[in-house]
Amino acid sequence: MIEFSKEQLSAEEAFWVMWYFLDRHYELAGGEFDLSDILSASQPFEFDDNGHFDGEVKGQRRVAPADSGMISFWNDAVKKYREFGPKPTQLKK
């Protein structure tokens, strides 16, 4: 099972990771996408111990995105941010 990157991100880092995440989807969709598709595919669902989504709360539950491909896209976005930046800015009061 693929897991999300465990890195802790600041608000600015999370912004740039999300930019890389959305940029990849935009590229794959040929220059257009519907944001609601990305958000719904990224929405975590509860699965039972057999990996089935049944809508019932019983037994051991696992929370994961409905589309596990989103996990690898997110992890790739974290890697791209770490490699290509931009670097976080120091804010002044």
Side-chain angles (χ1 to χ4, degrees):
M1 179 173 86
I2 300 173
E3 292 188 15
F4 280 108
S5 171
K6 302 276 192 225
E7 294 189 52
Q8 296 293 319
L9 302 172
S10 70
E12 185 175 358
E13 289 171 326
F15 170 85
W16 287 109
V17 169
M18 183 57 77
W19 187 89
Y20 282 111
F21 179 79
L22 294 174
D23 184 56
R24 179 68 176 137
H25 282 278
Y26 186 76
E27 175 189 315
L28 290 172
E32 60 182 48
F33 63 78
D34 183 343
L35 185 58
S36 65
D37 291 341
I38 294 171
L39 294 175
S40 64
S42 303
Q43 175 66 37
F45 290 97
E46 288 188 8
F47 294 86
D48 67 15
D49 37 345
N50 294 320
H52 300 125
F53 176 72
D54 58 10
E56 296 181 30
V57 179
K58 62 180 181 181
Q60 296 294 317
R61 308 303 281 179
R62 180 171 67 91
V63 177
D67 181 351
S68 62
M70 294 298 152
I71 298 172
S72 62
F73 280 121
W74 180 262
N75 291 342
D76 289 345
V78 171
K79 288 177 190 173
K80 283 183 181 178
Y81 168 73
R82 294 290 183 218
E83 186 174 342
F84 301 112
K87 301 297 181 211
T89 56
Q90 294 297 323
L91 301 178
K92 297 178 184 177
K93 291 184 180 183

Coordinates of all heavy atoms in Angstrom, one line a residue:
M1 N 0.8 -1.2 0.0 CA 0.0 0.0 0.0 C 0.9 1.2 0.0 O 1.8 1.4 0.8 CB -0.9 0.0 1.2 CG -1.8 1.2 1.3 SD -3.0 1.1 2.6 CE -2.1 1.8 4.0
I2 N 0.6 2.2 -0.9 CA 1.3 3.5 -0.9 C 0.8 4.4 0.2 O -0.4 4.4 0.4 CB 1.1 4.1 -2.3 CG1 1.5 3.2 -3.4 CG2 1.8 5.5 -2.4 CD1 1.2 3.8 -4.8
E3 N 1.7 5.1 0.8 CA 1.3 6.0 1.9 C 1.7 7.4 1.5 O 2.7 7.6 0.8 CB 2.0 5.6 3.2 CG 1.5 4.3 3.8 CD 2.0 4.1 5.2 OE1 2.5 5.0 5.8 OE2 1.9 2.9 5.6
F4 N 1.0 8.4 2.0 CA 1.3 9.8 1.8 C 2.6 10.1 2.5 O 3.0 9.5 3.5 CB 0.3 10.7 2.5 CG -1.0 10.9 1.6 CD1 -2.2 10.3 2.0 CD2 -0.9 11.6 0.5 CE1 -3.3 10.5 1.3 CE2 -2.1 11.8 -0.3 CZ -3.3 11.2 0.1
S5 N 3.4 11.0 1.9 CA 4.6 11.5 2.5 C 4.3 12.0 3.9 O 3.3 12.6 4.2 CB 5.2 12.7 1.7 OG 6.2 13.3 2.3
K6 N 5.2 11.6 4.9 CA 5.0 12.0 6.3 C 5.6 13.4 6.6 O 5.6 13.7 7.8 CB 5.6 10.9 7.2 CG 5.0 9.6 6.9 CD 3.7 9.4 7.7 CE 3.4 7.9 7.7 NZ 2.0 7.6 7.4
E7 N 6.1 14.1 5.6 CA 6.7 15.4 5.9 C 5.7 16.4 6.5 O 4.6 16.4 6.1 CB 7.3 15.9 4.6 CG 8.5 15.1 4.1 CD 9.2 15.8 2.9 OE1 9.6 17.0 3.1 OE2 9.3 15.2 1.9
Q8 N 6.3 17.2 7.4 CA 5.5 18.3 7.9 C 5.8 19.5 7.0 O 6.9 19.9 6.8 CB 5.9 18.6 9.4 CG 5.6 17.5 10.3 CD 4.1 17.3 10.5 OE1 3.4 18.2 10.6 NE2 3.7 16.0 10.5
L9 N 4.7 20.2 6.6 CA 4.8 21.3 5.7 C 4.3 22.6 6.3 O 3.3 22.5 7.0 CB 4.1 21.1 4.4 CG 4.4 19.8 3.6 CD1 3.5 19.6 2.4 CD2 5.9 19.9 3.0
S10 N 5.0 23.7 6.1 CA 4.5 25.0 6.6 C 3.3 25.3 5.6 O 3.2 24.7 4.6 CB 5.6 26.0 6.5 OG 5.9 26.3 5.2
A11 N 2.6 26.4 5.9 CA 1.5 26.8 5.0 C 2.0 27.2 3.7 O 1.5 26.8 2.6 CB 0.8 28.0 5.7
E12 N 3.2 27.9 3.6 CA 3.8 28.2 2.3 C 4.2 27.0 1.5 O 4.0 26.9 0.3 CB 4.9 29.2 2.5 CG 5.4 29.7 1.2 CD 6.5 30.8 1.3 OE1 6.8 31.2 2.4 OE2 7.0 31.3 0.2
E13 N 4.9 26.1 2.2 CA 5.3 24.9 1.5 C 4.2 24.1 1.0 O 4.2 23.6 -0.1 CB 6.1 24.0 2.5 CG 7.5 24.6 2.9 CD 8.2 23.8 4.0 OE1 7.5 23.3 4.9 OE2 9.4 23.7 4.0
A14 N 3.1 24.0 1.8 CA 1.9 23.2 1.3 C 1.3 23.9 0.1 O 0.8 23.2 -0.8 CB 0.9 23.2 2.5
F15 N 1.3 25.2 0.1 CA 0.8 26.0 -1.1 C 1.6 25.5 -2.4 O 1.0 25.2 -3.4 CB 0.9 27.5 -0.9 CG 0.7 28.3 -2.1 CD1 -0.6 28.6 -2.5 CD2 1.7 28.7 -3.0 CE1 -0.9 29.3 -3.7 CE2 1.5 29.4 -4.1 CZ 0.2 29.7 -4.5
W16 N 2.9 25.5 -2.3 CA 3.7 25.2 -3.4 C 3.6 23.7 -3.8 O 3.6 23.4 -5.0 CB 5.2 25.6 -3.2 CG 5.3 27.1 -3.3 CD1 5.5 28.0 -2.3 CD2 5.1 27.9 -4.5 NE1 5.5 29.3 -2.8 CE2 5.2 29.3 -4.1 CE3 4.8 27.6 -5.8 CZ2 5.1 30.3 -5.0 CZ3 4.7 28.7 -6.7 CH2 4.8 30.0 -6.3
V17 N 3.5 22.8 -2.8 CA 3.3 21.4 -3.1 C 2.0 21.2 -3.9 O 1.9 20.5 -4.9 CB 3.4 20.6 -1.8 CG1 2.9 19.1 -2.1 CG2 4.8 20.5 -1.3
M18 N 0.9 21.9 -3.4 CA -0.4 21.9 -4.1 C -0.3 22.4 -5.5 O -0.9 21.9 -6.4 CB -1.4 22.6 -3.3 CG -2.8 22.5 -3.9 SD -3.4 20.8 -4.1 CE -3.9 20.4 -2.5
W19 N 0.5 23.4 -5.7 CA 0.7 24.0 -7.0 C 1.3 22.9 -8.0 O 0.8 22.7 -9.1 CB 1.6 25.2 -7.0 CG 1.7 25.9 -8.3 CD1 0.9 26.9 -8.8 CD2 2.7 25.6 -9.4 NE1 1.3 27.2 -10.1 CE2 2.3 26.5 -10.4 CE3 3.7 24.7 -9.5 CZ2 3.1 26.5 -11.6 CZ3 4.5 24.7 -10.7 CH2 4.1 25.6 -11.7
Y20 N 2.3 22.2 -7.5 CA 2.9 21.1 -8.3 C 1.9 20.0 -8.5 O 1.9 19.4 -9.6 CB 4.2 20.6 -7.6 CG 5.4 21.5 -7.8 CD1 6.0 22.2 -6.8 CD2 6.0 21.6 -9.1 CE1 7.1 22.9 -7.0 CE2 7.1 22.4 -9.3 CZ 7.7 23.1 -8.2 OH 8.8 23.8 -8.4
F21 N 1.1 19.7 -7.5 CA 0.1 18.7 -7.6 C -0.9 19.0 -8.7 O -1.2 18.2 -9.6 CB -0.6 18.5 -6.2 CG -1.7 17.5 -6.2 CD1 -1.4 16.2 -6.0 CD2 -3.0 17.9 -6.2 CE1 -2.4 15.2 -5.9 CE2 -4.0 17.0 -6.1 CZ -3.7 15.6 -5.9
L22 N -1.4 20.2 -8.7 CA -2.4 20.6 -9.6 C -1.8 20.8 -11.0 O -2.4 20.5 -12.0 CB -3.1 21.9 -9.2 CG -4.0 21.8 -8.0 CD1 -4.4 23.2 -7.5 CD2 -5.1 20.9 -8.2
D23 N -0.6 21.3 -11.1 CA 0.1 21.5 -12.4 C 0.2 20.1 -13.1 O 0.1 20.0 -14.3 CB 1.5 22.1 -12.1 CG 2.2 22.4 -13.4 OD1 1.7 23.1 -14.3 OD2 3.4 21.8 -13.6
R24 N 0.5 19.1 -12.4 CA 0.6 17.7 -13.0 C -0.7 17.3 -13.6 O -0.8 16.7 -14.7 CB 1.1 16.7 -12.0 CG 1.3 15.3 -12.5 CD 2.4 15.2 -13.5 NE 2.6 13.8 -13.9 CZ 2.8 13.5 -15.1 NH1 2.8 14.3 -16.1 NH2 2.9 12.2 -15.4
H25 N -1.8 17.5 -12.8 CA -3.1 17.2 -13.3 C -3.5 18.0 -14.6 O -4.0 17.4 -15.5 CB -4.2 17.4 -12.3 CG -4.2 16.3 -11.3 ND1 -4.8 15.1 -11.5 CD2 -3.6 16.2 -10.1 CE1 -4.6 14.3 -10.4 NE2 -3.9 14.9 -9.6
Y26 N -3.1 19.2 -14.6 CA -3.4 20.1 -15.7 C -2.7 19.6 -16.9 O -3.2 19.5 -18.0 CB -3.0 21.5 -15.3 CG -3.3 22.6 -16.4 CD1 -4.6 23.1 -16.5 CD2 -2.3 23.1 -17.2 CE1 -4.9 24.0 -17.4 CE2 -2.6 24.1 -18.1 CZ -3.9 24.5 -18.2 OH -4.2 25.5 -19.1
E27 N -1.4 19.2 -16.7 CA -0.6 18.7 -17.8 C -1.2 17.4 -18.4 O -1.3 17.2 -19.6 CB 0.8 18.4 -17.3 CG 1.7 17.7 -18.3 CD 3.1 17.3 -17.6 OE1 3.6 18.2 -16.9 OE2 3.5 16.2 -17.8
L28 N -1.6 16.5 -17.5 CA -2.2 15.2 -17.9 C -3.5 15.3 -18.6 O -3.9 14.5 -19.5 CB -2.3 14.2 -16.7 CG -1.0 13.7 -16.1 CD1 -1.3 13.0 -14.8 CD2 -0.3 12.8 -17.1
A29 N -4.3 16.4 -18.3 CA -5.6 16.6 -18.9 C -5.5 17.4 -20.2 O -6.5 17.8 -20.7 CB -6.5 17.3 -17.9
G30 N -4.3 17.7 -20.7 CA -4.2 18.4 -21.9 C -4.5 19.9 -21.8 O -5.0 20.5 -22.7
G31 N -4.2 20.5 -20.6 CA -4.4 21.9 -20.5 C -5.7 22.3 -19.9 O -6.0 23.5 -19.9
E32 N -6.5 21.4 -19.4 CA -7.7 21.8 -18.7 C -8.1 20.7 -17.7 O -7.7 19.6 -17.8 CB -8.8 21.9 -19.7 CG -9.2 20.7 -20.5 CD -10.3 20.9 -21.5 OE1 -10.2 21.9 -22.2 OE2 -11.2 20.0 -21.5
F33 N -8.7 21.1 -16.6 CA -9.3 20.2 -15.6 C -10.4 20.8 -14.9 O -10.5 22.1 -14.8 CB -8.2 19.7 -14.7 CG -7.5 20.7 -13.9 CD1 -8.1 21.2 -12.7 CD2 -6.3 21.2 -14.2 CE1 -7.5 22.2 -11.9 CE2 -5.6 22.2 -13.4 CZ -6.3 22.7 -12.3
D34 N -11.1 20.0 -14.2 CA -12.2 20.5 -13.4 C -11.8 20.2 -11.9 O -11.5 19.1 -11.5 CB -13.5 19.6 -13.7 CG -14.7 20.1 -12.9 OD1 -14.5 20.8 -11.9 OD2 -15.8 19.7 -13.2
L35 N -11.6 21.3 -11.2 CA -11.1 21.2 -9.8 C -11.9 20.3 -9.0 O -11.4 19.5 -8.1 CB -11.0 22.6 -9.2 CG -10.4 22.7 -7.8 CD1 -9.0 22.1 -7.8 CD2 -10.4 24.1 -7.3
S36 N -13.2 20.2 -9.2 CA -14.1 19.3 -8.4 C -13.7 17.9 -8.6 O -13.8 17.0 -7.7 CB -15.6 19.6 -8.7 OG -15.9 19.2 -10.0
D37 N -13.2 17.5 -9.8 CA -12.8 16.1 -10.1 C -11.6 15.8 -9.2 O -11.5 14.7 -8.6 CB -12.4 15.9 -11.5 CG -13.6 15.9 -12.5 OD1 -14.8 15.8 -12.0 OD2 -13.4 16.2 -13.7
I38 N -10.6 16.7 -9.1 CA -9.4 16.5 -8.3 C -9.8 16.4 -6.8 O -9.4 15.5 -6.1 CB -8.4 17.6 -8.5 CG1 -7.9 17.5 -10.0 CG2 -7.3 17.5 -7.6 CD1 -7.1 18.7 -10.4
L39 N -10.7 17.3 -6.4 CA -11.0 17.3 -5.0 C -11.8 16.0 -4.6 O -11.6 15.4 -3.6 CB -11.8 18.5 -4.6 CG -11.0 19.8 -4.7 CD1 -12.0 21.0 -4.4 CD2 -9.9 19.8 -3.8
S40 N -12.7 15.6 -5.5 CA -13.5 14.4 -5.2 C -12.6 13.1 -5.2 O -12.8 12.2 -4.4 CB -14.7 14.2 -6.1 OG -14.3 14.0 -7.4
A41 N -11.6 13.1 -6.1 CA -10.7 11.9 -6.2 C -9.8 11.9 -5.0 O -9.3 10.8 -4.6 CB -9.9 12.0 -7.5
S42 N -9.5 13.1 -4.4 CA -8.6 13.1 -3.3 C -9.3 12.9 -1.9 O -8.7 12.8 -0.9 CB -7.9 14.5 -3.2 OG -7.2 14.7 -4.4
Q43 N -10.7 13.0 -1.9 CA -11.5 12.8 -0.7 C -11.2 11.5 0.0 O -11.4 10.4 -0.7 CB -12.9 13.0 -1.1 CG -13.9 12.8 0.1 CD -13.7 13.8 1.2 OE1 -13.5 15.0 0.9 NE2 -13.8 13.4 2.4
P44 N -10.8 11.5 1.2 CA -10.6 10.2 1.9 C -12.0 9.5 2.2 O -12.9 10.1 2.5 CB -9.9 10.5 3.2 CG -9.9 12.0 3.3 CD -10.5 12.6 2.0
F45 N -12.0 8.2 2.0 CA -13.1 7.4 2.3 C -12.7 6.3 3.3 O -11.6 5.9 3.4 CB -13.7 6.7 1.0 CG -14.3 7.6 0.0 CD1 -13.6 8.1 -1.0 CD2 -15.6 7.9 0.2 CE1 -14.2 8.9 -2.0 CE2 -16.2 8.8 -0.7 CZ -15.5 9.3 -1.8
E46 N -13.7 5.8 4.0 CA -13.4 4.6 4.9 C -13.7 3.3 4.2 O -14.8 3.2 3.6 CB -14.3 4.7 6.2 CG -13.9 5.9 7.1 CD -14.7 5.8 8.4 OE1 -15.4 4.8 8.7 OE2 -14.5 6.7 9.2
F47 N -12.7 2.4 4.3 CA -12.9 1.1 3.6 C -12.9 0.1 4.8 O -12.2 0.3 5.8 CB -11.7 0.9 2.7 CG -11.6 1.8 1.5 CD1 -11.0 3.0 1.6 CD2 -12.2 1.4 0.3 CE1 -11.0 3.8 0.5 CE2 -12.2 2.2 -0.8 CZ -11.6 3.4 -0.7
D48 N -13.6 -1.0 4.5 CA -13.6 -2.1 5.5 C -12.3 -2.9 5.4 O -11.4 -2.6 4.6 CB -14.8 -3.0 5.4 CG -14.9 -3.8 4.1 OD1 -13.8 -3.9 3.4 OD2 -16.0 -4.3 3.8
D49 N -12.2 -3.9 6.3 CA -10.9 -4.6 6.4 C -10.6 -5.5 5.1 O -9.5 -5.9 4.9 CB -10.8 -5.5 7.6 CG -12.1 -6.1 8.0 OD1 -13.2 -5.7 7.6 OD2 -12.1 -7.0 8.9
N50 N -11.6 -5.6 4.2 CA -11.4 -6.3 2.9 C -11.1 -5.3 1.8 O -11.0 -5.7 0.6 CB -12.6 -7.1 2.6 CG -12.8 -8.3 3.5 OD1 -11.9 -8.9 4.0 ND2 -14.1 -8.5 3.9
G51 N -11.1 -4.0 2.1 CA -10.8 -3.0 1.1 C -12.1 -2.5 0.4 O -12.0 -1.9 -0.7
H52 N -13.2 -2.9 0.9 CA -14.5 -2.5 0.2 C -15.1 -1.2 0.9 O -15.1 -1.1 2.1 CB -15.5 -3.6 0.3 CG -15.0 -4.9 -0.4 ND1 -15.0 -6.1 0.3 CD2 -14.5 -5.1 -1.6 CE1 -14.5 -7.0 -0.5 NE2 -14.2 -6.4 -1.7
F53 N -15.6 -0.4 0.0 CA -16.3 0.8 0.5 C -17.8 0.4 0.6 O -18.5 0.2 -0.4 CB -16.2 2.0 -0.4 CG -16.9 3.2 0.0 CD1 -16.5 3.9 1.1 CD2 -18.1 3.6 -0.7 CE1 -17.3 5.0 1.5 CE2 -18.8 4.7 -0.3 CZ -18.4 5.4 0.8
D54 N -18.3 0.3 1.9 CA -19.7 -0.2 2.0 C -20.6 0.8 2.7 O -21.8 0.6 2.9 CB -19.7 -1.5 2.7 CG -19.1 -1.5 4.1 OD1 -18.8 -0.4 4.6 OD2 -18.9 -2.6 4.7
G55 N -20.0 1.9 3.2 CA -20.8 3.0 3.9 C -21.2 2.6 5.3 O -21.8 3.4 5.9
E56 N -20.8 1.5 5.8 CA -21.1 1.1 7.2 C -19.9 1.3 8.0 O -18.8 1.1 7.6 CB -21.6 -0.3 7.2 CG -22.9 -0.6 6.5 CD -23.4 -2.0 6.6 OE1 -23.1 -2.7 7.6 OE2 -24.0 -2.5 5.6
V57 N -20.1 1.6 9.3 CA -19.0 1.7 10.2 C -19.0 0.5 11.1 O -19.9 0.3 12.0 CB -19.1 3.0 11.1 CG1 -18.0 3.0 12.1 CG2 -19.2 4.2 10.2
K58 N -18.2 -0.5 10.8 CA -18.1 -1.7 11.5 C -16.7 -2.3 11.3 O -16.1 -2.2 10.3 CB -19.2 -2.7 11.1 CG -19.1 -3.2 9.7 CD -20.2 -4.2 9.3 CE -20.0 -4.6 7.9 NZ -21.0 -5.5 7.4
G59 N -16.2 -3.0 12.3 CA -14.9 -3.7 12.2 C -13.8 -2.7 12.0 O -13.9 -1.5 12.4
Q60 N -12.7 -3.2 11.5 CA -11.5 -2.3 11.3 C -11.7 -1.5 10.1 O -12.1 -2.0 9.0 CB -10.3 -3.2 11.1 CG -9.9 -4.0 12.3 CD -9.5 -3.1 13.5 OE1 -8.7 -2.2 13.3 NE2 -9.9 -3.5 14.7
R61 N -11.5 -0.2 10.2 CA -11.7 0.7 9.1 C -10.3 1.3 8.6 O -9.4 1.5 9.5 CB -12.6 1.9 9.5 CG -13.9 1.4 10.1 CD -14.7 0.5 9.2 NE -15.3 1.2 8.1 CZ -16.1 0.7 7.2 NH1 -16.2 -0.6 7.2 NH2 -16.7 1.4 6.3
R62 N -10.2 1.6 7.4 CA -9.0 2.2 6.8 C -9.4 3.4 6.0 O -10.3 3.3 5.2 CB -8.3 1.2 5.9 CG -7.0 1.7 5.3 CD -6.3 0.6 4.6 NE -7.0 0.1 3.4 CZ -6.8 0.6 2.2 NH1 -6.0 1.6 2.0 NH2 -7.5 0.1 1.2
V63 N -8.8 4.6 6.3 CA -9.2 5.8 5.6 C -8.1 6.0 4.5 O -6.9 6.0 4.8 CB -9.2 7.0 6.5 CG1 -9.5 8.3 5.8 CG2 -10.3 6.8 7.6
A64 N -8.6 6.2 3.3 CA -7.7 6.4 2.1 C -8.4 7.1 1.0 O -9.6 7.0 1.0 CB -7.2 5.0 1.6
P65 N -7.7 7.7 0.1 CA -8.4 8.4 -1.0 C -9.0 7.3 -1.9 O -8.5 6.2 -2.0 CB -7.2 9.0 -1.8 CG -6.1 9.1 -0.9 CD -6.2 8.0 0.1
A66 N -10.1 7.6 -2.5 CA -10.8 6.7 -3.4 C -9.9 6.3 -4.6 O -9.9 5.2 -5.1 CB -12.1 7.3 -3.9
D67 N -9.1 7.3 -5.0 CA -8.1 7.0 -6.1 C -6.7 7.0 -5.5 O -6.2 8.0 -5.2 CB -8.3 8.1 -7.1 CG -7.4 7.9 -8.3 OD1 -6.5 7.1 -8.3 OD2 -7.5 8.7 -9.3
S68 N -6.1 5.8 -5.4 CA -4.8 5.7 -4.7 C -3.7 6.4 -5.6 O -2.7 6.7 -5.1 CB -4.4 4.3 -4.4 OG -4.4 3.6 -5.6
G69 N -4.0 6.7 -6.9 CA -3.1 7.4 -7.7 C -2.8 8.8 -7.2 O -1.8 9.4 -7.4
M70 N -3.8 9.4 -6.4 CA -3.6 10.7 -5.9 C -2.4 10.7 -4.8 O -1.8 11.7 -4.7 CB -4.9 11.2 -5.2 CG -6.0 11.4 -6.1 SD -5.6 12.7 -7.3 CE -6.6 12.2 -8.7
I71 N -2.2 9.6 -4.2 CA -1.1 9.5 -3.2 C 0.2 9.7 -3.9 O 1.0 10.5 -3.5 CB -1.2 8.2 -2.4 CG1 -2.5 8.1 -1.6 CG2 0.0 8.1 -1.5 CD1 -2.7 6.8 -1.0
S72 N 0.4 9.0 -5.0 CA 1.7 9.1 -5.7 C 1.9 10.5 -6.3 O 3.0 11.0 -6.3 CB 1.9 8.0 -6.7 OG 0.9 8.1 -7.7
F73 N 0.7 11.1 -6.8 CA 0.8 12.4 -7.3 C 1.2 13.4 -6.2 O 2.0 14.3 -6.5 CB -0.5 12.9 -7.9 CG -0.8 12.4 -9.3 CD1 -1.9 11.6 -9.5 CD2 0.1 12.6 -10.4 CE1 -2.2 11.1 -10.8 CE2 -0.2 12.1 -11.6 CZ -1.3 11.4 -11.9
W74 N 0.7 13.2 -5.0 CA 1.0 14.1 -3.9 C 2.5 13.9 -3.5 O 3.2 14.9 -3.4 CB 0.1 13.9 -2.7 CG 0.5 14.8 -1.6 CD1 1.2 14.5 -0.5 CD2 0.1 16.1 -1.4 NE1 1.4 15.6 0.3 CE2 0.7 16.6 -0.2 CE3 -0.7 17.0 -2.2 CZ2 0.5 17.9 0.2 CZ3 -0.8 18.3 -1.7 CH2 -0.3 18.7 -0.5
N75 N 2.9 12.7 -3.4 CA 4.3 12.4 -3.0 C 5.3 13.0 -4.1 O 6.3 13.5 -3.8 CB 4.5 10.9 -2.8 CG 3.8 10.4 -1.6 OD1 3.4 11.2 -0.7 ND2 3.6 9.1 -1.5
D76 N 4.9 12.9 -5.4 CA 5.7 13.4 -6.5 C 5.8 14.9 -6.3 O 6.8 15.6 -6.6 CB 5.2 13.0 -7.8 CG 5.4 11.6 -8.2 OD1 6.2 10.9 -7.5 OD2 4.8 11.1 -9.1
A77 N 4.7 15.6 -6.0 CA 4.6 17.0 -5.8 C 5.5 17.5 -4.7 O 6.2 18.5 -4.8 CB 3.2 17.5 -5.6
V78 N 5.6 16.7 -3.6 CA 6.5 17.0 -2.5 C 7.9 17.0 -2.9 O 8.7 17.9 -2.7 CB 6.2 16.1 -1.3 CG1 7.3 16.3 -0.2 CG2 4.8 16.3 -0.7
K79 N 8.2 15.9 -3.7 CA 9.6 15.8 -4.2 C 10.0 16.9 -5.1 O 11.1 17.4 -5.1 CB 9.8 14.4 -4.9 CG 9.8 13.2 -4.0 CD 9.9 11.9 -4.8 CE 9.6 10.7 -3.9 NZ 9.6 9.5 -4.7
K80 N 9.1 17.3 -6.0 CA 9.3 18.4 -7.0 C 9.6 19.7 -6.2 O 10.5 20.4 -6.6 CB 8.2 18.5 -8.0 CG 8.2 17.5 -9.1 CD 7.1 17.8 -10.1 CE 7.1 16.7 -11.2 NZ 6.0 17.0 -12.1
Y81 N 8.7 19.9 -5.2 CA 8.9 21.1 -4.4 C 10.3 21.2 -3.8 O 11.0 22.2 -3.8 CB 7.8 21.3 -3.4 CG 8.1 22.4 -2.4 CD1 8.0 23.7 -2.8 CD2 8.6 22.1 -1.1 CE1 8.4 24.7 -1.9 CE2 8.9 23.1 -0.3 CZ 8.8 24.4 -0.6 OH 9.2 25.4 0.2
R82 N 10.6 20.0 -3.1 CA 11.9 20.0 -2.4 C 13.1 20.2 -3.4 O 14.1 20.8 -3.1 CB 12.1 18.6 -1.7 CG 11.1 18.5 -0.6 CD 11.4 19.4 0.6 NE 10.5 19.1 1.7 CZ 10.0 20.0 2.4 NH1 10.3 21.3 2.2 NH2 9.2 19.7 3.4
E83 N 12.9 19.7 -4.6 CA 14.0 19.8 -5.6 C 14.1 21.1 -6.3 O 15.1 21.7 -6.5 CB 13.9 18.6 -6.7 CG 15.0 18.6 -7.6 CD 15.0 17.4 -8.6 OE1 14.2 16.4 -8.3 OE2 15.6 17.4 -9.6
F84 N 12.9 21.6 -6.7 CA 12.9 22.8 -7.6 C 12.4 24.1 -6.9 O 12.5 25.2 -7.5 CB 12.0 22.5 -8.8 CG 12.4 21.4 -9.6 CD1 11.7 20.2 -9.7 CD2 13.6 21.4 -10.4 CE1 12.1 19.1 -10.5 CE2 14.0 20.4 -11.1 CZ 13.3 19.2 -11.2
G85 N 11.9 24.0 -5.7 CA 11.5 25.2 -4.9 C 10.2 25.8 -5.4 O 9.4 25.1 -6.0
P86 N 9.9 27.0 -5.2 CA 10.8 28.0 -4.6 C 11.0 27.9 -3.2 O 10.3 27.2 -2.5 CB 10.0 29.3 -4.9 CG 8.6 28.9 -4.9 CD 8.5 27.5 -5.4
K87 N 12.0 28.5 -2.7 CA 12.4 28.5 -1.3 C 11.4 29.3 -0.5 O 11.0 30.4 -1.0 CB 13.8 29.0 -1.0 CG 14.9 28.1 -1.8 CD 14.9 26.7 -1.3 CE 15.9 25.9 -2.1 NZ 15.6 24.5 -2.2
P88 N 11.0 28.9 0.7 CA 10.1 29.7 1.5 C 10.7 31.1 1.8 O 11.9 31.3 2.0 CB 10.0 29.0 2.8 CG 10.3 27.6 2.4 CD 11.4 27.7 1.4
T89 N 9.9 32.1 1.8 CA 10.3 33.5 2.0 C 10.2 33.8 3.5 O 9.4 33.3 4.2 CB 9.5 34.5 1.2 OG1 8.1 34.3 1.6 CG2 9.6 34.3 -0.3
Q90 N 11.1 34.7 3.9 CA 11.1 35.1 5.3 C 10.2 36.3 5.4 O 10.5 37.4 4.7 CB 12.5 35.5 5.8 CG 13.4 34.3 5.9 CD 13.0 33.3 6.9 OE1 12.4 33.6 8.0 NE2 13.2 32.0 6.6
L91 N 9.1 36.2 6.1 CA 8.1 37.3 6.2 C 8.6 38.3 7.2 O 9.1 37.9 8.3 CB 6.7 36.8 6.5 CG 6.2 35.8 5.5 CD1 4.8 35.3 5.9 CD2 6.1 36.4 4.1
K92 N 8.4 39.6 7.0 CA 8.8 40.7 7.9 C 7.5 41.3 8.5 O 6.5 41.4 7.9 CB 9.6 41.7 7.2 CG 10.9 41.2 6.7 CD 11.6 42.3 5.9 CE 12.9 41.7 5.3 NZ 13.6 42.7 4.5
K93 N 7.6 41.7 9.8 CA 6.5 42.3 10.4 C 6.5 43.8 10.1 O 7.4 44.4 9.9 CB 6.6 42.1 12.0 CG 6.3 40.7 12.4 CD 6.4 40.6 13.9 CE 6.1 39.2 14.3 NZ 6.0 39.0 15.7

